[in-house]
Amino acid sequence: MDLKGTGVITFDEWLKFCLEHIAAKTATMDPHPILDHGNMEQFKEFLTTAVQPGTAEHTEMYWFLLELFTEHDTEKEGIVMKEDFPVMMDKVLETPKKLDIAHPDKAVLFTDDVEKRREHQLDIFKKNNPRGDDRMCVDEWIGLAMDLFKKMI
């Protein structure tokens, strides 16, 4: 910690140590361990509870969706843009796709045809954007993601 070897730790040295230490510790942690573990039945069981407000699973799902939203809110205004939406959808559907979860739109949501999948994702964006612009707020995002998960149960 005493970077200058003066026998005294300055505030800047202490802060640098703390930030590096915390970053190193959190880098080894799984961000959402209960979202991506187990098999299809365990994930469906998780989803059944996660769509019910007031449960620990709902809180976990909410924070996952909020963190995903925040990652793509580049201006930190509480808004994501239409062009960021497909990347967010791909990320939120990683585990369901890996587990081959059933969904009414599974053929389009999980397709390897990037153009077809992107077109469908932008249709979802349009349907869940009451203002009809290229911006989506966090409530709209979480609402549509939860609806998406409800259809998987």
Side-chain angles (χ1 to χ4, degrees):
M1 272 191 271
D2 183 9
L3 300 176
K4 297 176 185 170
T6 61
V8 177
I9 299 170
T10 67
F11 176 77
D12 291 339
E13 290 171 328
W14 173 250
L15 181 61
K16 183 177 190 271
F17 167 77
C18 289
L19 293 175
E20 289 173 355
H21 177 75
I22 292 169
K25 291 291 184 187
T26 57
T28 63
M29 297 170 57
D30 291 330
H32 298 280
I34 63 175
L35 290 178
D36 189 19
H37 83 286
N39 59 29
M40 183 186 337
E41 286 307 313
Q42 290 170 321
F43 187 71
K44 279 188 162 186
E45 187 178 311
F46 167 77
L47 287 181
T48 301
T49 312
V51 296
Q52 299 173 15
T55 63
E57 290 83 354
H58 180 79
T59 301
E60 182 71 17
M61 181 65 79
Y62 180 88
W63 280 107
F64 168 69
L65 295 171
L66 183 62
E67 286 174 12
L68 189 57
F69 182 90
T70 305
E71 274 179 39
H72 293 88
D73 178 10
T74 54
E75 301 296 321
K76 303 302 178 212
E77 296 175 335
I79 299 289
V80 293
M81 302 307 290
K82 184 178 179 177
E83 57 268 10
D84 297 319
F85 186 74
V87 176
M88 293 169 63
M89 285 291 289
D90 286 343
K91 181 69 177 171
V92 85
L93 292 171
E94 271 181 7
T95 301
K97 182 178 180 179
K98 181 175 79 173
L99 296 174
D100 199 31
I101 301 280
H103 188 279
D105 298 332
K106 178 181 174 179
V108 188
L109 287 174
F110 299 162
T111 184
D112 291 329
D113 182 347
V114 177
E115 275 302 310
K116 192 174 183 182
R117 189 174 67 236
R118 180 173 168 77
E119 184 179 319
H120 184 68
Q121 290 167 338
L122 293 177
D123 284 344
I124 293 172
F125 181 92
K126 189 184 296 184
K127 289 176 188 169
N128 290 278
N129 185 350
R131 290 172 310 285
D133 58 7
D134 288 350
R135 302 157 42 102
M136 179 173 279
C137 71
V138 69
D139 293 336
E140 293 163 351
W141 161 246
I142 290 176
L144 85 83
M146 287 295 191
D147 288 344
L148 194 71
F149 287 125
K150 285 176 186 175
K151 292 178 182 176
M152 294 179 189
I153 300 171

